[in-house]
Amino acid sequence: MKWNGWGYSDSKFLFNKKGQAEFTGKRYRLSGMVLPSLQDWFENTFGASVNHKSPPTLNASAVPPASLNEAFVEDLKTTGVPFSHEAEDRVFRAHGHCLHEIFALREGKKFERVPDMVVWPNCHNDVVKVVELACKHNVCLIPYGGGTSVTSALECPPEETRCIVSLDTSQMLNESGYCTGHEPDSMEFSSLGGWVATRASGMKKNVYGNIEDLVIHIKVVTPRGVIEKSCQGPRMSTGPDIHHFILGSEGTLGVVTEVTMKIRPIPEYQKYGSVVFPNFEAGVACLREVAKQRCAPASIRLMDNEQFQFGHALKPQVSSIFTNFVEGLKKFYITKFKGFDPHQLVVATLLFEGDRERVLQHEKQVYDIAATFGGLAAGEDNGQRGYILTFVIAYLRDLGMDYYVVAESFETSVPWDRVLDLCRNVKERINRECKERGVQFQPLTSCRVTQTYDAGACIYFYFAFNYRGLADPVHTYEQVEHAAREEILANGGSLSHHHGVGKLRKEWMKESISSLGVGMLQSVKDYVDPDNIFGNRNLL
């Protein structure tokens, strides 16, 4: 894994000596391919230059020395649970993947606070032992799953004076060989316990559900003991569901050690597809109708024009003259014969799963709906490429940072009747805030409508800008992102659809769930963890 960016160390975007972009490694479908349009898009969009590079540096002296609780360490040795207080192990678990966290790593900036040690429990009983010892010796525990948090949830509170232990549950994962259908963008690296703790959502939730729909039973180790239900029945009427105290608790109450989930056979048949619409309004109207008729495929995602242009820049080089000819014909048909404006059109990517006959019926139903909103079928290849790009898109932020471009994404959920206003107003707010803060080149702002519901949808925003000339680009970004979140809330959007709250967004919790709601959460925290052993200070 990379120490200063996303994913595997052998997988990354780069500009080669021929001035072409390529994606290295062998792990992804895009690996080893040349992307001939990416450099021009990158330079033209951001005013950046591949001749101006900002390489990352590693500053080992930036890691503060470990402050160990020796009595805790001595007792821990008797349990046989592996642990480490090496600087590299501690730094790797001191952060998630917020922009400011990765930027600090790349710039070699001094860490204010990192875990003092890391422990690796192998099973539920190991976790019980570690938690009991933490309570005995007043040690602060911060659960660590896959490290993919984008809410500052893994950062150590700088005011914490106790020994901080990162409780890494990565050695507790098991493979079942079945399909759960839960596929978040971070699926390769995130953990099951993390999905539960953050109320996660995946790309195929339309068929399989969100994490709360998939969970049957949870076992959690807390300072007061183990929380679990008495049975694993499909439904119980025994007061408020205690699972909902755990779902979204973000490591503030304890450690999720065991989860029973619904599983299904791997689908017999899978088919990708895509639809091009003349404009964003038509695409949103189509997705709303698909949701209304409850016929959404496993995945349906609508990219605005900016994301469409970006996706086009990521098309790999093709060796076949015939393929180039066919692509040219498609473009001519859509833009010239049908009259779609290349600067207005949008694309929805589709993924159908199930038995073959039902998939084909389902596919026809969705395409028939799309046609009523002016949509044209745009082929399986575009749909498959759009879906697969999801797993490599995070690697692009690292490429941008190499050339003075910062980028980030954030999400929300919103009622259908507010989708268009929210998308337009948030984009305008981002552009206005960037200009007021001295960003010299027009930022890229884009959005996509993703998971759909009867009452609304999840919207993902992306924005990036060239930070050359800015004294503190991270602070500029954080000001803009803060303003964008205010705009989202003002336009009827939620604080988060699936990323969670962490420390990054907790200032808005009272506005989101009321003061009384925050008080209820605080009461649970005070009862379950009176000494704040799980002291990451997320949510509250």
Side-chain angles (χ1 to χ4, degrees):
M1 300 288 290
K2 290 192 185 77
W3 62 268
N4 64 343
W6 180 264
Y8 301 108
S9 57
D10 63 352
S11 301
K12 63 180 178 179
F13 288 94
L14 56 80
F15 295 117
N16 60 31
K17 293 179 180 179
K18 295 180 180 179
Q20 294 176 314
E22 61 180 84
F23 189 69
T24 65
K26 298 180 180 179
R27 300 174 186 271
Y28 302 91
R29 190 182 178 202
L30 203 63
S31 297
M33 292 188 177
V34 172
L35 313 170
S37 302
L38 184 58
Q39 182 175 336
D40 285 344
W41 176 88
F42 181 77
E43 293 187 325
N44 293 334
T45 301
F46 298 111
S49 171
V50 297
N51 296 319
H52 298 149
K53 196 168 184 180
S54 174
T57 59
L58 174 61
N59 183 2
S61 65
V63 184
S67 177
L68 299 177
N69 182 314
E70 295 296 346
F72 171 82
V73 174
E74 289 303 311
D75 278 356
L76 184 64
K77 288 178 181 178
T78 67
T79 68
V81 177
F83 66 91
S84 167
H85 45 78
E86 294 295 324
E88 184 177 340
D89 292 330
R90 293 161 53 219
V91 168
F92 192 81
R93 291 156 186 82
H95 64 86
H97 282 272
C98 287
L99 175 67
H100 68 270
E101 293 170 316
I102 301 302
F103 200 89
L105 282 169
R106 290 173 58 92
E107 295 290 304
K109 293 184 177 179
K110 188 172 181 61
F111 286 89
E112 193 168 359
R113 195 74 167 89
V114 302
D116 297 298
M117 59 186 296
V118 181
V119 298
W120 288 275
N122 287 292
C123 62
H124 169 80
N125 289 336
D126 281 357
V127 175
V128 171
K129 294 173 186 176
V130 173
V131 173
E132 287 176 347
L133 290 180
C135 293
K136 176 182 176 182
H137 297 289
N138 194 25
V139 164
C140 177
L141 297 177
I142 297 183
Y144 181 94
T148 58
S149 164
V150 287
T151 64
S152 304
L154 294 173
E155 289 183 8
C156 298
E159 64 273 21
E160 180 59 72
T161 58
R162 297 172 295 177
C163 172
I164 299 178
V165 175
S166 175
L167 203 156
D168 187 329
T169 60
S170 61
Q171 302 307 303
M172 297 174 63
L173 304 178
N174 291 309
E175 295 182 4
S176 64
Y178 283 86
C179 162
T180 67
H182 187 73
E183 287 190 15
D185 293 2
S186 60
M187 183 178 178
E188 296 169 282
F189 311 112
S190 54
S191 67
L192 175 54
W195 300 343
V196 169
T198 57
R199 286 184 68 91
S201 180
M203 293 181 284
K204 297 180 181 178
K205 83 94 204 157
N206 291 335
V207 168
Y208 301 99
N210 292 313
I211 192 65
E212 65 269 23
D213 305 308
L214 294 167
V215 165
I216 299 295
H217 191 258
I218 306 173
K219 185 180 287 189
V220 186
V221 180
T222 80
R224 287 267 193 175
V226 176
I227 299 176
E228 60 178 326
K229 292 182 178 180
S230 62
C231 76
Q232 297 189 13
R235 188 178 188 276
M236 297 163 62
S237 182
T238 51
D241 189 344
I242 62 168
H243 281 170
H244 290 286
F245 289 121
I246 306 305
L247 286 155
S249 58
E250 300 190 9
T252 59
L253 302 178
V255 184
V256 176
T257 58
E258 294 181 12
V259 181
T260 303
M261 290 181 70
K262 301 174 187 176
I263 60 174
R264 300 191 189 189
I266 293 174
E268 168 197 332
Y269 189 66
Q270 193 176 65
K271 191 172 185 181
Y272 293 93
S274 61
V275 182
V276 60
F277 295 95
N279 52 56
F280 191 62
E281 291 78 7
V284 170
C286 175
L287 263 64
R288 184 173 187 177
E289 184 62 26
V290 168
K292 180 181 177 182
Q293 295 193 26
R294 295 195 170 183
C295 62
S299 174
I300 180 169
R301 297 184 294 177
L302 177 71
M303 299 179 287
D304 68 2
N305 186 259
E306 289 80 6
Q307 283 207 13
F308 165 74
Q309 301 288 353
F310 170 53
H312 189 73
L314 288 170
K315 292 190 76 166
Q317 190 174 51
V318 293
S319 56
S320 168
I321 296 176
F322 177 75
T323 301
N324 274 323
F325 176 70
V326 171
E327 287 293 319
L329 282 180
K330 287 180 182 177
K331 185 176 181 180
F332 176 82
Y333 175 74
I334 291 171
T335 61
K336 302 298 183 184
F337 187 73
K338 296 298 292 185
F340 284 20
D341 183 345
H343 300 291
Q344 292 291 323
L345 65 84
V346 300
V347 175
T349 59
L350 311 169
L351 170 60
F352 301 89
E353 287 187 352
D355 65 72
R356 191 174 188 278
E357 185 177 349
R358 286 187 182 180
V359 163
L360 296 178
Q361 291 174 347
H362 195 180
E363 180 186 43
K364 182 180 184 307
Q365 184 180 8
V366 171
Y367 280 115
D368 284 348
I369 293 173
T372 66
F373 295 94
L376 299 172
E380 292 184 48
D381 288 346
N382 285 326
Q384 185 175 30
R385 195 165 53 82
Y387 190 84
I388 291 174
L389 277 176
T390 298
F391 295 107
V392 300
I393 203 101
Y395 288 96
L396 277 164
R397 185 174 70 172
D398 299 335
L399 176 71
M401 284 189 181
D402 285 344
Y403 299 94
Y404 295 94
V405 172
V406 294
E408 191 59 283
S409 65
F410 49 92
E411 39 65 66
T412 184
S413 53
V414 65
W416 280 116
D417 63 348
R418 301 298 301 161
V419 168
L420 294 177
D421 286 345
L422 186 142
C423 289
R424 180 189 63 250
N425 292 343
V426 171
K427 286 182 181 182
E428 290 177 354
R429 181 73 178 270
I430 289 173
N431 290 338
R432 188 166 67 249
E433 295 285 339
C434 284
K435 186 176 181 179
E436 291 176 358
R437 284 168 173 76
V439 176
Q440 297 299 311
F441 205 82
Q442 175 79 6
L444 172 70
T445 58
S446 67
C447 68
R448 78 168 187 252
V449 182
T450 173
Q451 289 98 318
T452 59
Y453 300 84
D454 291 348
C458 169
I459 300 176
Y460 243 110
F461 288 95
Y462 294 84
F463 91 94
F465 59 83
N466 184 336
Y467 69 84
R468 281 179 66 82
L470 292 177
D472 191 344
V474 171
H475 181 61
T476 299
Y477 163 78
E478 288 176 341
Q479 288 180 310
V480 175
E481 200 264 358
H482 189 278
R485 184 60 57 181
E486 294 278 13
E487 191 70 29
I488 285 172
L489 296 174
N491 281 268
S494 69
L495 186 55
S496 174
H497 171 262
H498 62 269
H499 280 169
V501 176
K503 290 178 272 293
L504 191 64
R505 303 186 184 101
K506 68 179 182 179
E507 67 179 275
W508 290 291
M509 279 294 281
K510 285 184 180 179
E511 182 179 346
S512 297
I513 65 172
S514 79
S515 296
L516 186 59
V518 171
M520 292 170 68
L521 295 182
Q522 187 66 59
S523 295
V524 173
K525 169 69 174 176
D526 291 343
Y527 176 76
V528 174
D529 187 13
D531 296 319
N532 194 32
I533 297 300
F534 289 91
N536 56 26
R537 291 174 171 80
N538 294 334
L539 293 174
L540 301 168

